[in-house]
Amino acid sequence: MSDPVPTVWVLGDQLHRRSGALADRGPGDCRVLLVTSERKVASKRWHRQRLHLVLSAMAHFAAELREEGFDVDHRTAPTLAAGLRAHRDEHAVARVMAMDPMSWDGRELLDRLGVERVRNDQFTCHYDEFAAWASGRSSFKMEDFYRWQRTRLDVLMEDGPEGPEPAGGQWNFDHDNRERPPKDGRSWPTIERFELDDIDRGVIEALPESCWGAEPDGTWPVSRAQAVARLDEFVATGLAPFGPHEDAMLASEWKLAHSVLSSSMNLGLLHPSEVVEAAADAYWAGDAPINSVEGFIRQVIGWREYVWGVYWLWMPEYRSRNALDARRAVPPVLASGADTEMACVANTMRHLRDHGYAHHIERLMVLGNLALTSGIDPAAMTDWMWASFVDGAEWVMLPNVIGMALYADGGRMATKPYASGGAYINRMSDSCRSCRFDPKQRTGEDACPFTTLYWDFLARNAETFAGNHRLARQLASMRSLGDLGEVRARAVEVVTRLDAGRL
Ligand code: SF4
């Protein structure tokens, strides 16, 4: 006979007690299932801290639910489907429900397995609402979406003579937030690490040999309580100094004043609305300036939710986009941490190795820029970033890598490729000072690989970019180079050495 108690299946990135199918249910109303898939664990060369974070957060969530009185079946199985099958066999469950998964494949899987889906409530804008907003628009810019979000969610808005208007008199304080790295040797907000417990230690012991990166050290919140503590800490110490240097890169600083809250939001430990509310409250209380608060809130209800919306709008064909026909494998400097003389790449990779994290400009203008200008395959790069960052997920990485960093969607998301030579990195980081390459040189042994690859990238794709007026100036500069032949010959050497892990 079937068991009348339904099962709520909680997926590994939906770890919130008041979310989805679990929201209104108590211990007597349902049984809870969590499945760790061996296939998923073995599917990538995960960063140690990334895999530990997900597995430990699932185990902590299961323990909290048990403590509350829930009957929890947390099992490891060859696949998610096998885990559900075994659960159904053991408990003769008639009804299984789950919140809409965070991935396209997850949603397909749940439908195939006959799992009832409950609407996903982990974002402030559901992807159906995003699709409705986008429909009928010939272009849908992030900035337009962000302003729509601010207005409808009433975030950082104040009364004006003609109705609600943005706090501080303008929507966007970007121009205040692009300062170069300070040279005054200032200290940056520190974060409290969480003590590892028996659950953490058990997970660490069982991590597969294939993992890479530094051991988990309590940097990443694995429970709701830890995530809330991290949010409070950021608002108290990191939010005010966040804005001005959010795009700067310092060799000695892996996060500067960045919030490092993305992993908690992406696992469901924090809801974006509470994060935004806490930041906005700090502004209204006079504890943080508008440029920092606005810049941070734009990342959360603007960029993050925009990326979530376009993922669902353009999947599943979006993941195979490769508009620039880039075919190169992820090079050893990224794929296996090979040594490099490129100081900016070495510094970013050190941050990534030690923490499973690098901030948005290191991702976009160092790792992404290298992949774009050297022609790395977009799907392979997406996969590598997904496995390497603590906050990685398909919905995050696909639009950010395919659309934003690698221009593999042909300009659907970014109106021009984010390619740059060494000049940008020299302006926004302190890496070039200690690098054996020269950001101003494009040919010769001392030439900065970014500078060489930038010009080669423009030359290689000149035909494709011919109609893009935003690139007209750069293409004209490229054509006027007297040494373009030498630059392109040097680019061949650069990618050969990059491929061989000798750059
Ligand atoms: Fe990076 Fe080039 Fe600067 Fe070296 S010179 S740190 S490779 S941008």
Side-chain angles (χ1 to χ4, degrees):
M1 217 171 89
S2 302
D3 190 333
V5 178
T7 288
V8 171
W9 186 2
V10 177
L11 303 174
D13 49 9
Q14 303 182 340
L15 307 178
H16 198 293
R17 173 67 184 89
R18 295 293 164 203
S19 247
L22 208 51
D24 301 322
R25 290 192 161 78
D29 305 330
C30 65
R31 184 177 286 114
V32 177
L33 171 67
L34 290 104
V35 180
T36 300
S37 159
E38 290 168 332
R39 181 189 287 173
K40 183 89 181 178
V41 168
S43 67
K44 298 184 199 304
R45 185 172 171 264
W46 299 103
H47 192 291
R48 240 176 229 101
Q49 295 185 33
R50 155 73 187 173
L51 190 56
H52 165 263
L53 169 61
V54 177
L55 298 179
S56 177
M58 287 175 74
H60 278 91
F61 192 61
E64 284 167 18
L65 293 177
R66 282 194 189 106
E67 208 164 297
E68 198 185 327
F70 279 97
D71 177 3
V72 180
D73 178 8
H74 183 193
R75 61 175 66 226
T76 297
T79 62
L80 291 175
L84 177 63
R85 205 162 41 240
H87 173 81
R88 275 178 163 147
D89 288 349
E90 200 171 307
H91 298 283
V93 179
R95 196 174 165 212
V96 179
M97 60 193 82
M99 182 157 63
D100 277 335
M102 306 283 270
S103 74
W104 180 273
D105 291 342
R107 194 170 71 175
E108 301 266 291
L109 177 72
L110 259 55
D111 287 348
R112 270 203 312 278
L113 297 174
V115 175
E116 292 173 36
R117 288 194 279 112
V118 174
R119 191 173 169 86
N120 190 298
D121 57 12
Q122 288 178 281
F123 290 79
T124 62
C125 180
H126 190 272
Y127 49 78
D128 287 346
E129 294 169 300
F130 183 86
W133 172 83
S135 96
R137 289 170 189 259
S138 54
S139 81
F140 32 102
K141 295 192 186 117
M142 198 292 282
E143 186 65 29
D144 295 341
F145 170 72
Y146 166 62
R147 292 180 188 189
W148 178 71
Q149 283 272 82
R150 284 266 301 273
T151 308
R152 78 190 189 98
L153 299 173
D154 192 18
V155 173
L156 279 190
M157 301 297 291
E158 54 195 1
D159 290 335
E162 287 165 27
E165 54 186 42
Q170 60 195 62
W171 292 100
N172 186 319
F173 288 80
D174 250 359
H175 64 273
D176 294 337
N177 291 349
R178 292 198 178 118
E179 289 188 22
R180 293 173 180 216
K183 292 183 178 163
D184 54 11
R186 72 182 64 181
S187 53
W188 298 89
T190 53
I191 52 170
E192 191 83 31
R193 296 215 155 75
F194 305 102
E195 207 173 310
L196 300 177
D197 63 12
D198 287 346
I199 293 177
D200 290 310
R201 283 186 283 274
V203 170
I204 291 169
E205 267 171 36
L207 289 177
E209 298 253 313
S210 56
C211 284
W212 71 286
E215 288 295 320
D217 60 359
T219 295
W220 303 107
V222 294
S223 66
R224 164 90 183 145
Q226 291 182 357
V228 170
R230 176 59 52 75
L231 171 61
D232 292 347
E233 182 184 51
F234 168 67
V235 172
T237 65
L239 180 60
F242 165 73
H245 298 288
E246 67 169 296
D247 287 358
M249 298 177 274
L250 284 173
S252 60
E253 266 295 321
W254 67 281
K255 62 162 197 59
L256 291 98
H258 285 263
S259 74
V260 293
L261 292 170
S262 49
S263 73
S264 297
M265 283 190 279
N266 292 359
L267 292 182
L269 299 174
L270 288 177
H271 195 278
S273 59
E274 66 185 320
V275 171
V276 162
E277 194 180 327
D281 285 352
Y283 169 69
W284 296 121
D287 294 335
I290 186 66
N291 61 309
S292 287
V293 176
E294 188 282 315
F296 176 69
I297 283 178
R298 180 148 32 86
Q299 287 193 346
V300 180
I301 57 166
W303 185 249
R304 181 174 182 273
E305 304 246 349
Y306 178 81
V307 156
W308 165 250
V310 300
Y311 170 81
W312 286 100
L313 197 62
W314 293 336
M315 277 290 278
E317 63 88 29
Y318 197 65
R319 63 181 154 202
S320 54
R321 295 298 295 261
N322 191 356
L324 300 181
D325 197 28
R327 303 285 169 197
R328 202 168 292 284
V330 178
V333 62
L334 308 187
S336 55
D339 286 343
T340 177
E341 290 185 307
M342 295 181 283
C344 55
V345 177
N347 291 331
T348 301
M349 285 303 295
R350 180 165 44 78
H351 298 159
L352 185 58
R353 184 196 64 213
D354 292 349
H355 306 286
Y357 180 92
H359 72 64
H360 66 157
I361 296 299
E362 290 183 321
R363 297 186 200 203
L364 181 65
M365 299 310 291
V366 177
L367 303 176
N369 192 13
L370 183 68
L372 171 69
T373 55
S374 66
I376 294 173
D377 177 78
M381 188 66 184
T382 301
D383 209 50
W384 176 76
M385 293 196 74
W386 179 358
S388 302
F389 286 83
V390 287
D391 51 13
E394 188 183 54
W395 69 266
V396 178
M397 289 307 177
L398 266 184
N400 273 303
V401 176
I402 302 257
M404 190 72 178
L406 299 195
Y407 201 73
D409 64 359
R412 236 167 153 182
M413 206 165 160
T415 49
K416 69 170 189 168
Y418 276 82
S420 91
Y424 176 86
I425 296 172
N426 192 23
R427 187 165 66 248
M428 295 308 294
S429 83
D430 59 357
S431 288
C432 299
R433 279 186 247 155
S434 59
C435 186
R436 64 100 54 251
F437 297 113
D438 179 349
K440 294 194 185 69
Q441 305 288 322
R442 54 181 178 263
T443 59
E445 265 307 295
D446 294 336
C448 165
F450 281 90
T451 305
T452 306
L453 289 173
Y454 168 72
W455 294 114
D456 182 67
F457 169 76
L458 288 176
R460 206 166 68 233
N461 296 292
E463 220 170 284
T464 308
F465 297 148
N468 188 330
H469 69 276
R470 292 201 67 205
L471 283 174
R473 198 171 45 82
Q474 288 95 322
L475 289 171
S477 301
M478 177 272 295
R479 289 194 183 96
S480 71
L481 293 180
D483 58 356
L484 188 58
E486 283 169 66
V487 171
R488 302 212 59 190
R490 171 69 183 164
V492 172
E493 284 171 37
V494 167
V495 291
T496 304
R497 286 168 58 182
L498 187 66
D499 286 348
R502 290 187 292 105
L503 188 61

